[in-house]
Each structure stands twice: as structure tokens, then as C-alpha cells.
């Protein structure tokens, strides 16, 4: 038996790179000082934390005093949306899309319960939000627009720059959940007209449990937590120092490698897409060109995603699915429904997300192992035989 | 997440396929998740002589289908009619709570096949 592992679930999480691990390791033991302490061990750690903040801010074209460290993408989204709504202090209107991550959607649903009105914009069959629809949705009291930079399931890139410009023109805050994009594609908060941006370290070969919220100077926000002056009171609590240090290093490395990595991953991605479509009755979900460099999302007709995942896993291939059976909620993914997939096509969806470490041999291996799996499951399927 | 027995039945499903000249066919779909199953019976002297299934579904749905066919093959129609989804899940060594409905798929397909058999008997 082969004990090969081909990890193709980088959209879920990524391994911490050796360089990142080595860089953060001393902060778990030798350099344990609290950055808020006045003594030397504390002050030294403070300096390292601020350097990491600078690296993270630099990667976004931001100033370091506009960068707030958080516990990850979900927390950044919560702080951004709830914090701005809290500061506003009265009900208003929010615009978002129907394909956001639950870390945005569920917050919006909560804000609705608190009296705010939310427009969930539809998307086209590729999963793109139309900037004109954003324009049309604007109301007198719209105070924030939140549209993800790229979709985590189908990889479709959103017209963030256009939406940002529109928001800027109307004086409405623009937030983007960019956890899938930072480190994959160039992101400049000024070019993109972004006021708030969420990112997460573990999606770019950094540690889990740490992320950041970029917030343009002047954005009016109230903190959700109380208890200390850390992160200029927006996110109080003793800093996750090793995480912050690791995040700074990971983002610095990831961003410096974007040109080379983008080219390499796009090549691998397109090879994998072509090979999977060659199996027959396999369709690509998401936009053919405007998509994340490492995202492959296909639907295998007549079969169900979870059974494909189980079979792939037995061959040492790690992927994910948006099928009802693998969602834990028995509903197909809201993203696949929003792009208009019928239930059975959504049911057969599988996502392979490529990243640092994947190579040509991995693609060869997946393209060798997948067709017999699909064939076997189709041979058991009543919908396949009865065509 | 799944027991060894579930994985065994998923990897090496018993009685997969169609039956030419089946005496009864059952078909069902899960309202919950969208899985579908088709079950074919060959009946002789009120006994299930042969059985085949086809399933469009997750690992638990395929394993439940396979297990059900093993459980009822050789049983009389009346004996088979008493097999419940819980029996199937138990035989599989249990299913995760979210996957219990998958065993319904198999039990429902069987009930549908039995109803088809009985209606054909009446019309003969």
C-alpha cells in the first residue's frame, strides 16, 4: 500500500512553513515576555510584535497603525461589521452578497435581529457580484458594504476595486473578507478602495488562531470586547505573540513569492481542471479565468461529493466538498445554490485547493486516481445507469 | 467518523447493480439531503431470492444500502418488511447522528419494493 499524502485542501488550512516555524519558535520559550511589560524581556517582545505588524501592514500597502491583530478571519469579520454597526448606534442598511462566508453571513443575520436591514446581493452563474447591483442596492442609510475578495468554495474573484470606488464615492464603508486572497494575489488597500479588510494567517502557511483586521484611519468603530489597551483597545487581551510573529513572517514570505507562485499554481490548477473535465460529464464551478490561482471546484455528475472524498482519502488525497452530505447541515452549500446549480449537481461537487508544496507529480497522482473512483461510484448510481 | 463496518460496505458494497426481470423495484429519495436509491428484488415462494441496489449518495447511504441487501437476502417478504432503519444502522455498528437518515433511505426503498411486489401480486 502506498502511504502517499497529496494535500489539496489549502482553502481549509495550510501547513506552517519551516521558515515561519523557526522564526516563531523562540517566542514560545526563550522570548516569553509580555509585550505590555516595562522590563527588558517585555520590551524586546514588544519590538518584535511591532515588526510583525509592520510586515503584515506592508503586505497590504497599509500603515502599521491601521493594522489590528485578531484571532483570525472570523474574529476580524465580527469586529469589523458588529463594531461599525455598534458605533453607529441606530438601525441602518448593510449590503453584502449571498455567497459570503458564514463568518459574514451569520453576523449580518444577527444584525438584522438587532434592527438593521441587509441586502444579500445575488451573483451570476460564475459567482460574480455585479457592481451595478451594488449601486442599485444603495439606500439613504446604507453604512457598510461587505463583499468578499474571492469566494472560498468556487474561487471566483470579485470586482473589489469597482465596488470599493463606488462605496468611496457614496461615503459608505467598504469591508472585504480577503482571507482567501492575501498571499495569493497582490492586495493593496489603497488601490482597492478598501476601508476594512480581514485576513487570516493559517491560510498562507502561518499559524492558526491569528489574523488581522486592516482598518483605514478615521473609520468609526466601537470595540466588542473590554479589558485592556492592547490593539488600541479594539482587541484587548494579552497578545498571541508566537502567532503574531509567525503571521508577520508568513505574510512577508507569501507576498514576496506571489508572482512566481501565482504562475505555478495557475498552471497546476488549469492542468487539473482539464484532466478532471476529460473524465466526462464533469463541470467546472466558478469563473474559468477570474478565479483563485489554486482553486479547482468541479461537479461530478451522477455521484455524490462525500463518497468521492472518502474514496480520495483512501488514496491519500485530501480535498473537500460542498455537497449536502458533507456539510453537516444536510443543505447543499449556499454558494453552489446561489450560482444556480441544481441539487444533484451541487451534490457532486468537490473542491481541490492547491498551495505551497503541490507539484506536477501531485496533479499526475490525482488524475490517475480520480477516474476509477468516479467510474466505480457511477457504476453504483441509479441516475447514471438509467439515462 | 465512520465505523470499520461502514467503510467495509462502502469500499466493497454487496449486491450492487440491477436485476434483469426483477419481480419488484423500489425507488426512494431522501428529502433531507437529496440522495436516491433503487432496489431490485427477485422473489421465489415469498422469499427474497436475489437482491440488487443502486445508490446516489454519501458513504453512509451506500453502506446502508449494501448492508440492507445482506440483511434481507433469503428472508421472506414478511420477515423483510419488519427490518427497520435502526436495524440497518445497528448492523453497521452505528452511524454518526447526522447520518442516521441515510439508513432511512435503505429501509424506505425496501418498503417501496415490497409494496411494488404486493401490488403486482394482486394484479396477477
Amino acid at each position: 500500500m502506498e502511504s502517499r499524502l497529496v494535500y489539496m485542501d489549502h482553502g481549509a488550512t495550510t501547513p506552517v512553513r519551516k521558515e515561519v516555524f523557526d522564526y516563531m519558535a523562540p517566542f514560545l520559550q526563550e522570548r516569553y515576555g509580555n509585550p505590555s511589560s516595562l522590563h527588558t524581556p517585555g520590551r524586546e517582545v514588544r519590538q518584535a510584535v511591532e515588526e510583525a505588524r509592520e510586515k503584515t501592514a506592508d503586505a497590504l500597502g497599509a500603515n502599521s497603525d491601521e493594522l489590528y491583530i485578531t484571532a483570525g478571519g472570523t474574529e476580524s469579520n465580527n469586529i469589523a461589521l458588529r463594531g461599525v454597526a455598534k458605533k453607529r448606534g441606530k438601525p441602518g442598511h448593510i449590503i453584502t452578497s449571498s455567497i459570503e462566508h458564514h463568518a459574514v453571513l451569520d453576523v449580518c443575520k444577527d444584525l438584522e435581529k438587532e434592527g438593521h436591514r441587509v441586502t444579500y446581493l445575488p451573483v451570476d452563474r460564475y459567482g460574480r457580484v455585479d457592481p451595478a447591483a451594488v449601486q442599485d442596492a444603495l439606500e439613504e442609510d446604507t453604512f457598510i458594504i461587505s463583499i468578499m475578495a474571492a469566494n472560498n468554495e468556487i474561487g471566483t474573484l470579485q470586482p473589489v476595486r469597482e465596488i470599493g470606488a463606488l462605496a468611496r464615492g457614496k461615503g459608505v464603508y467598504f469591508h472585504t473578507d480577503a482571507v482567501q486572497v492575501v498571499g495569493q494575489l497582490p492586495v493593496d488597500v489603497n488601490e482597492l478602495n478598501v476601508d476594512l479588510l480581514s485576513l487570516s494567517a493559517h491560510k498562507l502557511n502561518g499559524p492558526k488562531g491569528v489574523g488581522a483586521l486592516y482598518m483605514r484611519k478615521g473609520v468609526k468603530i466601537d470595540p466588542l470586547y473590554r479589558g485592556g489597551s492592547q490593539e488600541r483597545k479594539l482587541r484587548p487581551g494579552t497578545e498571541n505573540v508566537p502567532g503574531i510573529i509567525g503571521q508577520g513572517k508568513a505574510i512577508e514570505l507569501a507576498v514576496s513569492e506571489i508572482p512566481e507562485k501565482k504562475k505555478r499554481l495557475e498552471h497546476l490548477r488549469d492542468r487539473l481542471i482539464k484532466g478532471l473535465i476529460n473524465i466526462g460529464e464533469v463541470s467546472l464551478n466558478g469563473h474559468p479565468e477570474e478565479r483563485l490561482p489554486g482553486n479547482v471546484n468541479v461537479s461530478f455528475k451522477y455521484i455524490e461529493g462525500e463518497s468521492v472524498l472518502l474514496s480520495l482519502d483512501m488514496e491519500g488525497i485530501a480535498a473537500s466538498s460542498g455537497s449536502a452530505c458533507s456539510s453537516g447541515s444536510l443543505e447543499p452549500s449556499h454558494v453552489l445554490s446561489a450560482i444556480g446549480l441544481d441539487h444533484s449537481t451541487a451534490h457532486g461537487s468537490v473542491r481541490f485547493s492547491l498551495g505551497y508544496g503541490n507539484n506536477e507529480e501531485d496533479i499526475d497522482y490525482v488524475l490517475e486516481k480520480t477516474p476509477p473512483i468516479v467510474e466505480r461510484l457511477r457504476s453504483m448510481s441509479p441516475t447514471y445507469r438509467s439515462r | 467518523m465512520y465505523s470499520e463496518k461502514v467503510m467495509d460496505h462502502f469500499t466493497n458494497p454487496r449486491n450492487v447493480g440491477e436485476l434483469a426481470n426483477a419481480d419488484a423495484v423500489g425507488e426512494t429519495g431522501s428529502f433531507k439531503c437529496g440522495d436516491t436509491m433503487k432496489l431490485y428484488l427477485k422473489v421465489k415462494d415469498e422469499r427474497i431470492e436475489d437482491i440488487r441496489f443502486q445508490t446516489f449518495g454519501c458513504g453512509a447511504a451506500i453502506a446502508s444500502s449494501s448492508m440492507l441487501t445482506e440483511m434481507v437476502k433469503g428472508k421472506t417478504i414478511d420477515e423483510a418488511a419488519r427490518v427497520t432503519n435502526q436495524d440497518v444502522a445497528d448492523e453497521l455498528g452505528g452511524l454518526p447522528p447526522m447520518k442516521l437518515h441515510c439508513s432511512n433511505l435503505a429501509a424506505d426503498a425496501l418498503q417501496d419494493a415490497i409494496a411494488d411486489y404486493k401490488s403486482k401480486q394482486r394484479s396477477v
Side-chain angles (χ1 to χ4, degrees), chain A residues 40-59:
Chain A
T40 308
R43 288 205 313 273
E44 281 176 2
V45 170
R46 165 62 58 204
Q47 196 186 335
V49 164
E50 293 314 313
E51 279 170 20
R53 186 192 310 281
E54 235 161 83
K55 284 177 186 162
T56 309
D58 280 352

Side-chain angles (χ1 to χ4, degrees), chain A residues 182 206 239:
Chain A
V182 175
E239 292 88 342

Side-chain angles (χ1 to χ4, degrees), chain B residues 105-120:
Chain B
L105 187 74
D108 290 353
L110 175 67
Q111 291 303 330
D112 193 53
I114 291 174
D116 182 48
Y117 175 74
K118 289 191 168 160
S119 78
K120 279 177 180 158

